[in-house]
Structure formats: C-alpha cells, structure tokens
Amino acid sequence: MSQQHFTDELFDAVTNDPTLSDTAKAEARRNLDKLKKTKVNILITGATGCGKSSTINALFGYDKAKVGQSVNPETMDISKHELNNIVLYDSPGLGDGKAADIRHSKNIIDKLYEKTSNGDMLIDLVLVILEGGSRDLGTSFELINSVIIPNLGEDKKRLLVAINQADMAMKGRGWNHAENKPEPELVEFLEEKVLSSHRRIKEATGVFVEPIYYVAGYKDGNNSQNPYNLSKLLCYILLHTKEEKRAVFVQDVNQDEDVWRADDGLDKYREKIRSTFLDSVKAVAGEVVGAVADRFISTVSTMGRAAGAVLGGAARVIGNAASSVLGFFGL
Ligand SMILES: Nc1nc2c(ncn2[C@@H]2O[C@H](COP(=O)(O)OP(=O)(O)OP(=O)(O)O)[C@@H](O)[C@H]2O)c(=O)[nH]1
Ligand SMILES: [Mg+2]
C-alpha cells in the first residue's frame, strides 16, 4: 500500500518532459487523477472450495483472502476486499443447503443491481469459478443460468466463467509437475470441459460464454503448486472490463513474477496485458500521456525482462522506478 501510485509516477514523468506545454501537463494531471480514483468492482463466486480465495490471492498477492482448509465454507456471506483500485466481493455460490442457497442467490442478485453514486452499475465483472475436478457442476450451472445471467442486464460481457484446479481435473493425473503444465490427455479433457460448459450455458440461456481453464495454485508449508494460465485469466478479466478502467489493474496485480510464468502459450498474454494497459491509459489521459507511459514501460521492462513479472516487470518496477524514469528522461 505504501507503493507509489502509478498515476503519480506517470505524472512525474510527464512533468519532467521538456517537450510538453503547461496546458498539456495540467490536462494530464486532471486525467491521471481521474484514473487514480477509478475503482473496478469484481464479484467472485462459485461453490465452496472451488478456489475463490486462492484465485484472489494468486491474482493480487498472497495476503488478500483467507484460504480454507476445512469443509465448512470459509466465506459465509459476501466479503469485501478493498485493494488500491480493485474492489473484490467474494460470495459463496450454491450448494450449501436450501436456506443458504436462497440467501446467497439474493445477495448476488442484489449486488448485480447495485449502482454507484453516478448511477453506473457497481459490479464491473462477475467471475464465476468452476472446480475442474468436480464431477457435479450442476449447482454451478444453476447459479450461472438461473441466478446470474437473468439478472445481468443487457451487458452479458460482465460475466466471465473460469475453470480452476485444472491440475486436479483428472484427480492429479496428466499434470506435469516438473514443467507445471498439463500433458496432452489432460489438455483434451480440459478442452472438453470448456466446450461442455459453453454448451450448457448456451443451451439454457442462449448466452455465449467462452470459459477458460487455469490453476490458482496454493502455498502451504512444504507443498506448493504454482499457478497456470493466470496471465490468461488476467487477460480475459481485462477484456471483460471497460477499456477506461483497465489500466488500474497494474496497481494491484501480484508482483511475484512466478505466478505469471506458466501458460498454454496459445496467445501472448503478457504482451496483450501490456498493450491493454497502454491503450487504457491513452483512452483516459490521451495520446501524449499514453506515449509517455509507453516509453516509461519500455524502459523499465528492459530491466524488468529478467524479473519477467506481468507487463514485463513494469508492475513491480513502476513502484520504485523514480530514478530509472529520471534517468530515462536524462535528468
Ligand atoms: N491443486 C489445487 N488446489 C487448489 C487450487 N485452488 C485452490 N486449491 C485448494 O482448494 C482448497 C479451497 O480453496 P479456497 O481458495 O479456500 O476455496 P474457496 O472457493 O475460497 O472456498 P470457500 O471460501 O470455503 O467457499 C484449498 O485447499 C486450496 O489450497 C488449484 O488450482 N489447484
Ligand atoms: Mg474462500
């Protein structure tokens, strides 16, 4: 939290740019202030033990949410985690008994209709997590098809479905621990799961969703499992969030480079995250600030490439890059 905000870093860089007029700098200040205040509200839901807390921890750092060890749901009702710019609402899904199901459904529906003081929808994105190893996902589809989709309003883009615990989808079979990736037979199994999930939602609601699979992973004592496809998950989260809000993720994402490393290689997720960030800065603060951000990230990413965190290290380096920025601008 003590880490300097990236919008202030960017503003310092803009201030120190001798080619910019005072008017341009004043406008940059206004726009960057707006960005600094931007909140992204994410509702995360799914059955007990699917990995909601683990996913929050993997995406945003390992001290954000309590991970359960017992069979009792750790998350009784919606719990709120406020980061710098990202606000997370962690809600149980269905399957904890009839009374609890009714209560949880109502809580979720209320959240979906909640508005900000500006009259905008509060929840920018609903992330529904399915447990890859679960044989019975019926209650999860009930949650998606009967609770979430009918109450989403017009903008079905607010929904993202992700299948967690890909490593355990075949009870641990087919997971290559040495390379932290699924073997072909597990890939095939997971792709089938993605397809059948897509079909179950499409057939029941007519809504087209493109689920992805990933591993949130865990750290407990001597054992740990690194995430897989977390950069893909972040990419999808960004694409499901309004463009003008996407930049602020950089302030809150996990700065542990290890979590962003392993993915399916189907797309250049980290490059995409980087360009998404820059486009978002441009959308809010204009071309001039966007160009400064671009140079800024390129500089830090040269140092950051070895670090290899998301954005090529920029998320980490931005926080303490004052000297490198000054250095870059020759001051
Ligand atoms: N192997 C494996 N285990 C995982 C993964 N994600 C979560 N887990 C484990 O699954 C268990 C439940 O994870 P949580 O993150 O507490 O799940 P939750 O959805 O927050 O659970 P509740 O809050 O109780 O509803 C924990 O023991 C995690 O360590 C994963 O990707 N792979
Ligand atoms: Mg939890």
Side-chain angles (χ1 to χ4, degrees), residues 235 238-239 267-277:
C235 240
L238 290 169
L239 294 176
D267 213 333
K268 295 180 172 163
Y269 303 114
R270 275 139 98 199
E271 266 178 54
K272 217 168 228 176
I273 290 167
R274 179 194 147 108
S275 59
T276 300
F277 169 73

Side-chain angles (χ1 to χ4, degrees), residues 270 274 297 300-315 317:
R270 275 139 98 199
R274 179 194 147 108
I297 288 195
V300 289
S301 78
T302 328
M303 321 177 344
R305 188 132 322 131
V310 75
L311 287 187
V317 183

Side-chain angles (χ1 to χ4, degrees), residues 257-318:
E257 57 195 89
D258 286 343
V259 305
W260 303 109
R261 228 175 235 150
D263 63 49
D264 61 21
L266 292 178
D267 213 333
K268 295 180 172 163
Y269 303 114
R270 275 139 98 199
E271 266 178 54
K272 217 168 228 176
I273 290 167
R274 179 194 147 108
S275 59
T276 300
F277 169 73
L278 288 172
D279 286 347
S280 176
V281 171
K282 270 184 214 157
V284 179
E287 289 290 330
V288 168
V289 179
V292 172
D294 200 350
R295 275 179 287 162
F296 183 72
I297 288 195
S298 302
T299 344
V300 289
S301 78
T302 328
M303 321 177 344
R305 188 132 322 131
V310 75
L311 287 187
R316 168 220 292 275
V317 183
I318 255 177

Side-chain angles (χ1 to χ4, degrees), residues 47-55 66-68 72-75 90 164-168 214-218 225:
T48 302
C50 67
K52 298 178 290 295
S53 303
S54 306
T55 300
K66 199 171 165 206
V67 174
N72 292 327
E74 281 283 346
T75 322
D90 178 338
N164 184 30
Q165 309 200 24
D167 56 323
M168 296 304 285
Y214 72 105
V215 174
Y218 58 85
Q225 162 67 53

Side-chain angles (χ1 to χ4, degrees), residues 43 104-114 121 123 126 142-156 158-159 205 207:
L43 175 60
H104 297 155
S105 301
K106 186 181 180 307
N107 287 339
I108 290 170
I109 292 169
D110 286 349
K111 265 274 160 298
L112 289 175
Y113 284 102
E114 203 172 318
M121 287 300 197
I123 298 299
V126 188
E142 173 76 14
L143 173 71
I144 295 171
N145 295 338
S146 309
V147 178
I148 296 176
I149 288 181
N151 295 294
L152 266 185
E154 283 305 297
D155 190 5
K156 308 297 185 208
R158 283 207 289 168
L159 172 64
T205 66
V207 172

